[in-house]
Amino acid sequence: MPGKLKAKIVAGRHLPVMDRASDLTDAFVEVKFGNTTFKTDVFPKSLNPQWNSEWFKFEVDDEDLQDEPLQITVLDHDTYSANDAIGKVYIDIDPLLCTEAASIISGWFPIYDTIHGIRGEINVLVKVELFNDLNRFRQSSCGVKFFCTTSIPRGYRAAMVHGFVEELVVNEDPEYQWIDRIRTPRASNEARQRLISLMSGELQRKIGLKVLEMGGNAVVGYLQCFDLEGESGLVVRAIGTACTLEKQSSGSLVNTHTHPNTAPASNACNSPSKDGKEPVFGEDLPSSSGPPTPFRNLPTSSSSPPPFSPFKPCSRQSSSSDTDLSLTPKTGMGSGGSAGKEAGPLKTLLRQQTQTALEQRGASSSGLLLNAREFPFFTLTSFPPGFLVHVGGVVSARSVKLLDRIHNPDEPETRDAWWEEIRQEIKSHAKALGCHAVVGYSENTSICEEVCILSASGTAAILNPRYMREGCLDIGSTDQRFDDPSPPSCGFCHIPYDELNMPFPAQLTYCYNCRRQKVPDVLFTTIDLPAEAAVTGKGCLIQARLCRLKKKAQGEVNATAISNLLPFMEYELHTQLMNKLKLRSMNALFGLHIQISVGENMLLGLASATGVYLTALPAPGGIQIAGKTSGDLNNEQHIQAIQKRINDTIAKNKELYQINPPELTEEGVGSPIPEPRHRSRLFRSHSESSDEVSELDLSHGKKDAFVLEIDDTDAVEDIHSLLIDASPPTGFYTCNTETMPGIYNWTTAVQMFTSVRVLRLSNANLSNQSLNKIFTDLCENLLKSFYFKLRSNIPCCLCHLNFTVAVPEEELIQVSVTAVAMTFDKDQTQERFITKGGIETEEQLQFPLELCADSSSTNAQPSSKFSGVPENTIVSPRAASVDYGSFADRCSTWLELLRLKAHTIRRGSVKTSRRTQSLAHSVSSLEHCSPLTEGRPRSLRSSRSFGGSSVTMVKMTPLSFLPGTRIIKYLGIINMFFIRETTSLREEGGVSGFLHSFIAEVFAMVRAHVAALGGNAVVSYSMKDCVLMENPNKNQAQCLINVSGDAVICVRETDQEPMTSMTNIGQTCAADGAT
Amino acid sequence: MAVELDVFVGNTTIMDEEVYQLWLDGYTVNDAVKVRMAGGMLDECEANQDVLLSDTMDQYRTFQMCERLLQSPAKLANQLLFQIPPHRQTMLIERYYAFDDVFVREVLGKKLSKGTKKDLDDIGAKTGVTLKSCRRQFDNFKRVFKVVEELKGPLVENIRQHFLLSDKLARDYAAIVFFANNRFETGKKKLQYLTFQDFAFCAGQLINNWTVGAVDNTVEDMDVDLDKEFLQELKELKILITDKDLLDQHKSLVCTALRGKTKAFAEMEANFKNLSRGLVNIATKLTNTKDVRDFFIDLVEKFIEPCRSDRWTSADIKLYLTHYTNSAHILDSFKHQAVWDRYMGVIKSCIYKMYHD
């Protein structure tokens, strides 16, 4: 009996009226975990019931604790008929299973109904007591920490990176079971929500087991996805990077799960003085002996058993599949499109893989280790300094599959094999680029009817093996690549592959930074811009958008048609990206994400990335327009006009993004595209004067010959669409990576948002061209809307702009965007806080004033906090959470304590009593006496400070950090799945009204869960799915949303206590108010 | 090709104050877009009409979803659906409960009933306030009225705490509730020159001095109903005009004090008996509900109009009323000093406020 789960139902508020006659509700609550259910008493005739129940205790296996959610159902008691459900709350108790995360869940949760949305709130307390588990063959993996963040979480250091972990579970979709015909939509939705919650719990547990077996204690970059395959079932799959993480707090190391040997080594490994040491790092690496590198030997001591099957030389795989690289447009084609039914060379491979997978499964679970060995993939997108040695380029693979029913949910081999195949392809691509690892790795799917496109992409790279578990990467003879001491600012740009045996035609030059190694002319990657990279100017979001019509078809014909189209789409997307990159005078893409979405009669492709000018790479040449026939004078003029426009745009962009590399300042910015001859001469002379390298320009004279040929009207259209992209208005920057190069002085104001737009194509006979235009306009207009909405945040940067496209129905295009607007200070960071207007200053003052009462106690706490004393950890974040109102609200029984505290604080006391009062009145108006009522003074001259707000502000961001703050604690992963359905679409304001309130509700539920864990922010937030189905004729709509992120407590950089987000938001909105 | 769906949701709810005002004022989305365009919004951030339309629609939806919460403002502070910083909440509430003086002037003193609500389109047409806005304002009055009706304690404080309004706005609502409850006549032609603020001031005076709450703050409706005992006691003041000696004595005391201090002395002396009779008669009749309703009419007819026709200045009025009140204390045979002060205190300040030069 390894765990005891305890839950207490405290109170409800704002309940809906369930009894029309009395305009009141007789509410009670069912608390269910596994198969055990408890009930509270009925609290008659109240919309604000106070149940104050006993502690309901569930004695359960920790395996169940990981899989199952706690299910709380609020019902209206009915004497004569069946009790009506008001709504439900699912609480994921996983965060409580980890000693370092949250220790209690306590707070107000929105009561959610899949038909009516949020219907009031309920106050719940949940605790878990875990007993020591001595069972060696356990199935649970309690204690493994999960992070959505795709970098080493702040406050931790990676003692060891173990490698890739993946798992998938399949099940029948309740929506498509026969029983669905006779049950209510509500029951069906709830069954689905519950099933998915169970499945993700199971998935997480299984991944945790793998991590434990690898000797790790955490999963970083955890990415979980759902594939709603309709009739054929429901797949939940996840990938991540197993790591051994250590807290970075001084002295006290928490390594419960670390192998004893790794702890001291990792200390040495990750020397705190990160800056400036990198070159030295590289130098002493290859020598496996000697005092500077004792840790080289270390991984051998890791507890992992010897691998089951001998490690296969990967060259074999790379030869068995065609190696296509999506690096340059010249070679971009064909890297997708191995249709399931016809992939010739892959077939053998496929069989092989499934066999081994089966063998492993049957033999022993330790065979799982093999996976990590076989796939040196990392879901991380940014790395500790020195980790990333070289970057090869983007590798991607796509495959089209026909879905058929999953016959046995316990044997998910088919889906496993599919992914196995794709991963092998990725791996071989990486090999061909001379790389032993793939970083920034991600997988996704697009499903339409029975056709499914599986995609995987990442960035081929060479990593520093010192951080890896041995065997995780096969380094072999390539070791000499670590010899060169490349400076961190450009080292990653240096080519990892052999110059004489290049995998694709590319123009190499000596690095413009160190002049010692070769670099390519452009670099595409899926990772974030490394912090140490040398960048000229600022970056911007670059998108390639593409629509391709296809004939409606069924089954294999359809799959073949799609897989035939894919290579062309990829090629065109790459051409677009390349052109747009050149147009902005940049030479590298980061965070590249290509999504291809399939619909019944079209394919949509959207590639997003952040373009930058890497100082180490050569300056991009311009774009030259060439006509096919030179005879026509008219045509000639036309071409000249276009050429001029392009040149002007390039010049304008250079100025806009402040791209003034040293070379260009020398020659004067006047002519963006000089004559090829002139230019090459210029480069030579420059290089001669500045460096000893003589054969600098081997081929880059050709670089200027980036020619766009206009041979038909299509090409003209393409060029027009190239020029259509508007640059963001003054004061705005955009990127889809974590941060923007060149901007450092962020303020604490962040505004996360989600926007969804659906377009109905009315005209059935659209051409590819006009469709492209429509799609491009849709994306551009969305961006325009964001600029307008967020104009009060200027100067600001829209970071992590994540576009997702879908074709929910024939004739519909859906684009969903989640991003965060981050305000920065143009020059001075401090001034802003001083020169605030009256109200804001007051509010900001509030926060330090109130804290000082507490500071004596909280200041003393950090040391004890990390040592894991549970009592301390409960109290400290809460007590310091500034807003005493919320404190009172969380747990009204603490009110006494609170009053004691409050009277020592001038402002605080006013607020507290005011809060008491409004609580009291809501109770008294119902004629129910509460102990709080007595505290109500007759004529309270309350200041209008309004601090009585009882809701903790919770910030959300898709980034892994909040500017100006420090994350002091990760409370656990948030992974929530909601379904909302309506049969009164018109009454809810149409489909926009329906989705608007649903998204707001999802935000509210995420915030409530985070606040209940004691947190004040969500980082690495993402909305992974937003599936909308509508039928306006029937007045119906249904939507599914899946969100995830990491719940955290963060404090202002300078403080020990959790910050008030109030201040910051106040700032944003005050600015808003000024408009 | 049509936009089927278009939403934008921020973690912190984004609300533009300008659009909020347009929504409160009852503009349709299209009209609001026109107003915004005319206001130069197109120049900002390279916006175009589509962008404005999309933004306005989003905001309108947000406001509609918020409206339910705004109707019981205490909920806004502890609801979870919208993350709105506290000072923004204050703004939202304050603006939602704000009203147009021209509109409230029309319904002041009327019963807040369905019947009145039916007349709102006429009032809207007359005042130039949109029907939608009229309805919101009327419903706000009604809601506040209904809630405070059943509460004990001071009226202004109750309103402020239940609706989280500013002191000023809470006082205005107290006035509206007070007028609606006592059904004071304000619509007569003679009263048209008075603004809502004039009446609100008078209501404040009455609430603070003449209601039950002025002496006892524990009873229900204490600030809404006038103090019956006090009204009874007012009858005793009749002696000031019925007893001839007393009247003459009073007059001579006042005239002695006023002599040489004002140009209007002659008129004051001549009118003294008439004016005194007027004021005392108002006092003695207040036991009848009908006469309570006519209180303001009576003040105007019996006092303000005669003075105005004699061209008294505000200063004259002040001087006269001060001495008129104080002289009564010197009258030996006049025993009702306390009641007299309680009565005249209010009358004095009401007349000052209502006397426009």
Side-chain angles (χ1 to χ4, degrees):
Chain A
M1 201 51 63
K4 194 188 267 181
L5 171 69
K6 303 200 292 180
K8 182 183 169 95
I9 307 298
V10 183
R13 67 182 183 198
H14 310 333
L15 294 189
V17 170
M18 298 299 283
D19 179 3
R20 286 264 157 253
S22 65
D23 267 2
L24 288 168
T25 296
D26 306 319
F28 70 101
V29 182
E30 277 182 10
V31 187
K32 189 178 173 196
F33 190 83
N35 293 319
T36 317
T37 306
F38 293 102
K39 278 182 194 174
T40 66
D41 297 333
V42 174
F43 194 91
K45 304 212 180 312
S46 169
L47 300 182
N48 298 284
Q50 307 280 321
W51 291 289
N52 224 343
S53 79
E54 59 187 299
W55 282 97
F56 300 123
K57 297 183 186 75
F58 302 88
E59 295 181 334
V60 275
D61 283 341
D62 48 359
E63 191 186 330
D64 287 341
L65 282 174
Q66 284 194 293
D67 288 4
E68 294 258 358
L70 180 69
Q71 182 182 316
I72 294 167
T73 313
V74 186
L75 297 116
D76 176 49
H77 175 75
D78 222 325
T79 321
Y80 302 108
S81 58
N83 298 327
D84 293 326
I86 295 172
K88 281 193 157 87
V89 180
Y90 293 97
I91 301 178
D92 179 13
I93 44 175
D94 232 37
L96 295 182
L97 304 180
C98 195
T99 43
E100 281 172 53
S103 49
I104 188 171
I105 295 175
S106 157
W108 288 100
F109 290 90
I111 302 169
Y112 181 72
D113 178 70
T114 60
I115 305 293
H116 293 104
I118 291 177
R119 305 174 93 190
E121 289 124 36
I122 185 167
N123 195 314
V124 181
L125 287 167
V126 186
K127 281 188 205 169
V128 171
E129 281 168 27
L130 278 180
F131 309 127
N132 269 337
D133 183 15
L134 300 172
N135 184 358
R136 293 192 51 201
F137 304 100
R138 60 183 192 165
Q139 288 297 300
S140 82
S141 53
C142 292
V144 175
K145 293 182 284 288
F146 284 79
F147 299 91
C148 294
T149 302
T150 57
S151 55
I152 301 304
R154 296 185 187 219
Y156 286 94
R157 63 166 149 243
M160 183 76 67
V161 179
H162 300 273
F164 188 58
V165 279
E166 53 79 31
E167 186 63 78
L168 65 80
V169 292
V170 298
N171 212 317
E172 272 186 87
D173 191 337
E175 184 100 341
Y176 295 89
Q177 283 165 346
W178 67 268
I179 193 168
D180 206 57
R181 284 177 209 161
I182 53 168
R183 67 179 163 191
T184 61
R186 177 181 282 120
S188 162
N189 291 339
E190 281 172 1
R192 236 170 151 196
Q193 280 190 173
R194 191 179 138 71
L195 177 72
I196 286 182
S197 178
L198 272 172
M199 285 168 82
S200 28
E202 184 191 342
L203 195 71
Q204 216 168 313
R205 175 173 59 81
K206 285 185 169 170
I207 289 214
L209 276 173
K210 288 188 178 180
V211 172
L212 288 179
E213 275 175 77
M214 291 165 115
N217 66 357
V219 182
V220 180
Y222 185 69
L223 176 74
Q224 187 193 290
C225 292
F226 300 94
D227 297 332
L228 300 167
E229 297 186 349
E231 289 277 336
S232 48
L234 190 63
V235 177
V236 186
R237 60 194 160 77
I239 55 175
T241 305
C243 294
T244 301
L245 293 185
E246 284 173 4
K247 268 250 154 100
Q248 242 173 355
S249 62
S250 52
S252 66
L253 278 171
V254 192
N255 37 17
T256 33
H257 295 276
T258 330
H259 193 276
N261 283 342
T262 56
S266 57
N267 268 342
C269 195
N270 217 336
S271 59
S273 60
K274 281 168 189 160
D275 27 358
K277 274 209 166 177
E278 274 67 37
V280 195
F281 250 144
E283 247 162 354
D284 52 41
L285 237 172
S287 59
S288 58
S289 60
T293 56
F295 24 84
R296 276 289 286 175
N297 304 328
L298 175 105
T300 29
S301 68
S302 104
S303 63
S304 57
F308 229 69
S309 66
F311 147 74
K312 291 180 217 145
C314 278
S315 52
R316 207 182 78 211
Q317 267 119 37
S318 74
S319 65
S320 71
S321 115
D322 46 348
T323 57
D324 301 311
L325 308 157
S326 0
L327 190 78
T328 63
K330 288 134 200 151
T331 59
M333 43 168 34
S335 72
S338 48
K341 305 286 171 178
E342 47 150 30
L346 273 175
K347 243 174 193 163
T348 43
L349 176 76
L350 172 71
R351 205 178 308 124
Q352 223 173 40
Q353 288 307 314
T354 21
Q355 265 168 9
T356 46
L358 280 167
E359 276 163 21
Q360 286 159 21
R361 236 170 260 269
S364 150
S365 56
S366 66
L368 293 168
L369 274 178
L370 200 68
N371 263 344
R373 200 165 303 260
E374 285 201 349
F375 298 118
F377 294 173
F378 301 88
T379 52
L380 302 178
T381 58
S382 67
F383 305 89
F387 191 101
L388 193 66
V389 182
H390 298 306
V391 168
V394 170
V395 286
S396 73
R398 283 178 216 285
S399 148
V400 183
K401 299 288 183 193
L402 274 178
L403 300 170
D404 52 15
R405 188 172 281 277
I406 299 168
H407 294 290
N408 185 358
D410 296 328
E411 300 284 325
E413 268 78 31
T414 334
R415 303 298 186 277
D416 264 345
W418 287 355
W419 286 111
E420 194 94 355
E421 179 190 315
I422 296 244
R423 288 171 193 147
Q424 283 296 349
E425 202 178 328
I426 290 277
K427 190 177 166 183
S428 65
H429 288 338
K431 273 275 151 210
L433 278 174
C435 294
H436 60 218
V438 176
V439 294
Y441 179 73
S442 66
E443 297 176 344
N444 59 54
T445 58
S446 168
I447 297 170
C448 175
E449 302 289 320
E450 80 253 275
V451 177
C452 173
I453 303 181
L454 309 182
S455 317
S457 70
T459 304
I462 292 182
L463 301 179
N464 192 331
R466 73 165 60 186
Y467 298 103
M468 305 293 157
R469 192 170 47 85
E470 200 195 0
C472 174
L473 302 173
D474 67 86
I475 294 141
S477 60
T478 57
D479 248 12
Q480 80 279 357
R481 279 184 300 215
F482 302 109
D483 286 346
D484 33 66
S486 2
S489 58
C490 65
F492 72 95
C493 310
H494 301 163
I495 52 161
Y497 36 84
D498 187 358
E499 198 186 328
L500 299 170
N501 189 14
M502 282 204 303
F504 51 87
Q507 290 140 11
L508 301 181
T509 47
Y510 274 96
C511 172
Y512 276 61
N513 198 43
C514 66
R515 312 241 166 230
R516 267 176 251 175
Q517 291 236 318
K518 293 284 176 73
V519 291
D521 54 347
V522 283
L523 186 62
F524 284 13
T525 73
T526 58
I527 56 170
D528 265 324
L529 181 68
E532 59 272 19
V535 173
T536 305
K538 299 218 163 52
C540 75
L541 179 79
I542 292 179
Q543 283 193 322
R545 302 132 184 161
L546 191 65
C547 271
R548 276 288 167 271
L549 291 165
K550 74 169 187 66
K551 286 209 174 75
K552 268 197 231 177
Q554 296 291 313
E556 276 191 46
V557 183
N558 194 20
T560 313
I562 291 169
S563 60
N564 286 341
L565 266 175
L566 283 179
F568 295 101
M569 291 194 65
E570 297 225 22
Y571 175 79
E572 271 197 51
L573 286 171
H574 272 278
T575 313
Q576 263 191 48
L577 281 177
M578 191 63 91
N579 288 343
K580 289 187 178 178
L581 190 67
K582 300 234 180 244
L583 201 63
R584 284 170 181 78
S585 197
M586 294 174 182
N587 57 20
L589 287 181
F590 286 89
L592 176 64
H593 179 78
I594 301 179
Q595 201 200 350
I596 292 193
S597 202
V598 57
E600 267 186 64
N601 60 344
M602 65 173 133
L603 285 171
L604 283 183
L606 180 67
S608 308
T610 301
V612 295
Y613 185 103
L614 284 178
T615 317
L617 266 49
I623 299 171
Q624 277 191 343
I625 307 292
K628 197 172 142 199
T629 48
S630 51
D632 192 349
L633 194 73
N634 231 349
N635 203 21
E636 201 89 311
Q637 277 175 341
H638 182 61
I639 285 170
Q640 272 172 8
I642 295 178
Q643 180 72 59
K644 185 171 182 308
R645 265 183 75 194
I646 288 180
N647 291 354
D648 289 350
T649 313
I650 292 177
K652 203 188 82 201
N653 280 333
K654 269 188 182 166
E655 203 172 303
L656 186 64
Y657 302 113
Q658 295 152 26
I659 298 170
N660 305 304
E663 288 87 349
L664 289 181
T665 43
E666 259 173 58
E667 74 177 56
V669 204
S671 55
I673 308 173
E675 296 268 308
R677 231 173 346 116
H678 162 68
R679 189 179 175 88
S680 57
R681 183 175 48 76
L682 208 124
F683 274 121
R684 195 179 303 119
S685 71
H686 170 72
S687 63
E688 274 162 7
S689 66
S690 66
D691 216 293
E692 67 287 342
V693 187
S694 53
E695 77 281 31
L696 183 71
D697 64 328
L698 280 173
S699 59
H700 78 285
K702 265 187 270 169
K703 175 178 60 171
D704 283 310
F706 191 85
V707 176
L708 284 180
E709 257 185 45
I710 301 188
D711 43 8
D712 56 13
T713 44
D714 279 13
V716 176
E717 289 283 337
D718 285 348
I719 290 166
H720 274 300
S721 70
L722 191 64
L723 291 166
I724 250 176
D725 284 12
S727 41
T730 329
F732 274 106
Y733 290 96
T734 52
C735 64
N736 74 336
T737 48
E738 288 250 308
T739 47
M740 169 68 93
I743 301 179
Y744 305 102
N745 42 354
W746 302 108
T747 70
T748 48
V750 296
Q751 170 65 273
M752 191 280 290
F753 61 88
T754 290
S755 182
V756 181
R757 218 171 255 197
V758 176
L759 213 63
R760 183 175 289 279
L761 309 166
S762 51
N763 188 352
N765 310 317
L766 283 165
S767 66
N768 274 336
Q769 229 71 21
S770 52
L771 212 55
N772 273 346
K773 172 99 170 59
I774 288 169
F775 183 40
T776 301
D777 285 349
L778 175 59
C779 295
E780 286 287 315
N781 287 340
L782 264 172
L783 284 169
K784 272 187 200 154
S785 272
F786 300 158
Y787 301 143
F788 182 74
K789 290 234 182 230
L790 299 161
R791 64 194 183 283
S792 61
N793 298 35
I794 287 178
C796 94
C797 181
L798 304 184
C799 293
H800 217 284
L801 269 165
N802 182 18
F803 278 67
T804 318
V805 291
V807 190
E809 272 174 50
E810 209 181 323
E811 322 246 288
L812 288 187
I813 300 178
Q814 176 185 329
V815 179
S816 333
V817 188
T818 296
V820 62
M822 301 219 292
T823 308
F824 60 91
D825 267 324
K826 271 233 154 73
D827 351 85
Q828 67 281 63
T829 329
Q830 294 308 316
E831 295 271 317
R832 192 181 179 91
F833 291 95
I834 303 161
T835 59
K836 287 254 82 181
I839 308 159
E840 287 84 62
T841 325
E842 215 178 2
E843 271 191 1
Q844 276 169 343
L845 273 176
Q846 236 165 313
F847 146 66
L849 267 180
E850 285 168 354
L851 282 181
C852 57
D854 248 4
S855 59
S856 55
S857 58
T858 29
N859 272 345
Q861 269 166 12
S863 52
S864 58
K865 217 184 268 174
F866 296 122
S867 68
V869 182
E871 273 71 21
N872 251 337
T873 7
I874 307 170
V875 179
S876 63
R878 298 269 154 84
S881 84
V882 174
D883 188 348
Y884 285 99
S886 79
F887 188 78
D889 214 53
R890 243 174 223 296
C891 179
S892 52
T893 49
W894 292 3
L895 206 76
E896 287 314 309
L897 167 75
L898 193 138
R899 284 209 185 114
L900 278 175
K901 271 191 177 157
H903 84 264
T904 60
I905 313 159
R906 193 169 45 81
R907 297 273 313 238
S909 65
V910 173
K911 284 168 59 177
T912 319
S913 43
R914 193 166 153 71
R915 171 74 206 131
T916 318
Q917 210 168 27
S918 64
L919 255 183
H921 107 245
S922 66
V923 178
S924 71
S925 64
L926 291 163
E927 300 302 322
H928 282 296
C929 242
S930 117
L932 307 180
T933 334
E934 66 202 21
R936 183 182 175 210
R938 189 198 176 251
S939 61
L940 180 96
R941 295 278 155 221
S942 62
S943 70
R944 296 251 304 144
S945 75
F946 217 120
S949 156
S950 60
V951 183
T952 331
M953 285 282 178
V954 175
K955 288 192 171 190
M956 291 172 35
T957 175
L959 307 179
S960 63
F961 68 98
L962 279 164
T965 65
R966 210 155 39 84
I967 293 171
I968 55 164
K969 197 170 181 185
Y970 283 84
L971 299 165
I973 199 167
I974 295 282
N975 188 1
M976 298 166 98
F977 177 86
F978 299 103
I979 301 178
R980 180 85 152 76
E981 189 166 344
T982 184
T983 48
S984 51
L985 191 58
R986 238 165 293 142
E987 295 76 0
E988 294 196 33
V991 66
S992 291
F994 170 69
L995 190 64
H996 192 139
S997 53
F998 185 36
I999 293 175
E1001 282 167 353
V1002 169
F1003 284 178
M1005 287 185 277
V1006 170
R1007 286 193 302 258
H1009 276 78
V1010 172
L1013 288 169
N1016 59 5
V1018 185
V1019 296
S1020 298
Y1021 168 84
S1022 75
M1023 186 170 83
K1024 283 176 303 199
D1025 276 303
C1026 177
V1027 184
L1028 179 74
M1029 285 153 287
E1030 47 160 336
N1031 191 342
N1033 296 333
K1034 283 191 179 166
N1035 211 15
Q1036 287 175 342
Q1038 191 193 35
C1039 187
L1040 296 81
I1041 287 185
N1042 175 218
V1043 295
S1044 66
D1046 294 326
V1048 299
I1049 303 176
C1050 54
V1051 296
R1052 277 171 179 267
E1053 222 129 49
T1054 45
D1055 299 323
Q1056 294 292 313
E1057 290 84 6
M1059 52 151 201
T1060 53
S1061 23
M1062 231 160 73
T1063 343
N1064 318 311
I1065 298 171
Q1067 200 172 306
T1068 328
C1069 297
D1072 192 12
T1075 56
Chain B
M1 188 189 48
V3 177
E4 179 94 358
L5 177 158
D6 179 18
V7 296
F8 178 101
V9 190
N11 180 39
T12 302
T13 308
I14 294 182
M15 293 171 168
D16 186 316
E17 286 187 46
E18 188 205 338
V19 186
Y20 186 49
Q21 196 56 54
L22 291 171
W23 177 73
L24 289 173
D25 289 344
Y27 283 83
T28 63
V29 173
N30 287 330
D31 290 346
V33 170
K34 276 179 205 147
V35 172
R36 296 183 82 188
M37 274 164 66
M41 266 316 191
L42 287 183
D43 302 334
E44 287 199 41
C45 292
E46 296 163 21
N48 55 34
Q49 192 174 348
D50 291 342
V51 167
L52 271 180
L53 181 67
S54 148
D55 179 59
T56 312
M57 297 263 270
D58 259 327
Q59 306 247 9
Y60 266 53
R61 260 200 310 272
T62 310
F63 300 140
Q64 266 150 28
M65 285 191 253
C66 271
E67 188 159 21
R68 188 180 50 85
L69 296 164
L70 288 166
Q71 289 170 358
S72 43
K75 274 190 190 164
L76 191 67
N78 57 19
Q79 53 84 31
L80 303 177
L81 189 56
F82 298 103
Q83 180 157 273
I84 305 169
H87 75 274
R88 298 287 288 178
Q89 292 181 12
T90 313
M91 183 279 292
L92 287 177
I93 296 168
E94 194 77 5
R95 292 265 191 102
Y96 190 76
Y97 283 89
F99 48 78
D100 294 311
D101 279 1
V102 279
F103 171 76
V104 71
R105 186 62 189 79
E106 293 297 318
V107 292
L108 197 64
K110 283 194 180 138
K111 209 172 165 185
L112 298 173
S113 64
K114 286 218 173 75
T116 315
K117 198 170 179 180
K118 271 180 196 144
D119 299 337
L120 286 182
D121 38 1
D122 292 340
I123 297 176
K126 186 177 165 193
T127 56
V129 179
T130 60
L131 183 58
K132 196 169 166 267
S133 179
C134 288
R135 291 218 173 106
R136 170 181 61 82
Q137 298 182 33
F138 185 78
D139 289 342
N140 282 343
F141 300 155
K142 219 171 140 177
R143 194 174 318 112
V144 172
F145 186 88
K146 234 179 143 180
V147 167
V148 295
E149 211 177 21
E150 291 156 9
L151 288 176
K152 294 176 182 173
L155 185 59
V156 176
E157 201 53 42
N158 280 339
I159 292 172
R160 196 165 63 185
Q161 277 166 21
H162 268 84
F163 294 93
L164 307 174
L165 300 178
S166 67
D167 196 57
K168 169 80 177 66
L169 200 52
R171 283 180 195 288
D172 284 351
Y173 269 94
I176 293 164
V177 169
F178 186 73
F179 268 71
N181 189 62
N182 290 294
R183 309 274 304 282
F184 287 108
E185 177 60 65
T186 65
K188 285 272 159 58
K189 208 175 170 202
K190 282 180 179 164
L191 295 177
Q192 283 308 314
Y193 77 99
L194 290 169
T195 66
F196 168 70
Q197 285 309 328
D198 294 334
F199 282 119
F201 175 82
C202 298
Q205 290 295 317
L206 265 67
I207 291 169
N208 285 333
N209 297 297
W210 285 5
T211 59
V212 195
V215 280
D216 177 4
N217 52 35
T218 54
V219 282
E220 209 165 291
D221 273 351
M222 62 178 210
D223 282 348
V224 185
D225 293 336
L226 295 174
D227 184 354
K228 291 261 158 49
E229 275 177 47
F230 166 66
L231 298 182
Q232 278 300 331
E233 284 166 7
L234 283 177
K235 286 195 182 294
E236 309 290 338
L237 300 180
K238 206 165 177 110
I239 193 165
L240 280 175
I241 48 171
T242 47
D243 185 325
K244 188 127 187 347
D245 288 349
L246 214 52
L247 186 60
D248 289 339
Q249 216 178 334
H250 194 187
K251 182 182 171 181
S252 67
L253 280 170
V254 172
C255 290
T256 318
L258 286 173
R259 192 180 308 269
K261 286 185 182 156
T262 167
K263 284 178 185 163
F265 178 73
E267 291 86 353
M268 285 180 186
E269 197 175 23
N271 273 333
F272 180 85
K273 284 185 184 170
N274 256 340
L275 292 176
S276 187
R277 267 192 208 108
L279 289 182
V280 175
N281 275 330
I282 292 173
T284 55
K285 286 195 300 180
L286 280 177
T287 41
N288 298 328
T289 326
K290 168 82 179 62
D291 291 304
V292 171
R293 286 184 194 172
D294 289 340
F295 175 69
F296 292 100
I297 287 266
D298 289 345
L299 275 187
V300 169
E301 284 179 347
K302 302 279 157 54
F303 193 91
I304 293 172
E305 283 187 341
C307 297
R308 201 184 285 147
S309 65
D310 288 343
R311 297 173 190 278
W312 294 25
T313 63
S314 288
D316 292 336
I317 294 277
K318 199 164 192 166
L319 196 68
Y320 176 81
L321 283 175
T322 309
H323 288 293
Y324 176 71
T325 311
N326 293 344
S327 303
H329 293 301
I330 315 172
L331 297 171
D332 293 334
S333 51
F334 184 59
K335 304 289 180 217
H336 312 285
Q337 307 291 357
V339 179
W340 176 249
D341 274 351
R342 191 175 171 189
Y343 176 69
M344 278 312 292
V346 171
I347 293 293
K348 232 176 10 181
S349 29
C350 285
I351 291 175
Y352 294 160
K353 191 76 191 175
M354 291 165 70
Y355 193 83
H356 297 183
D357 276 328

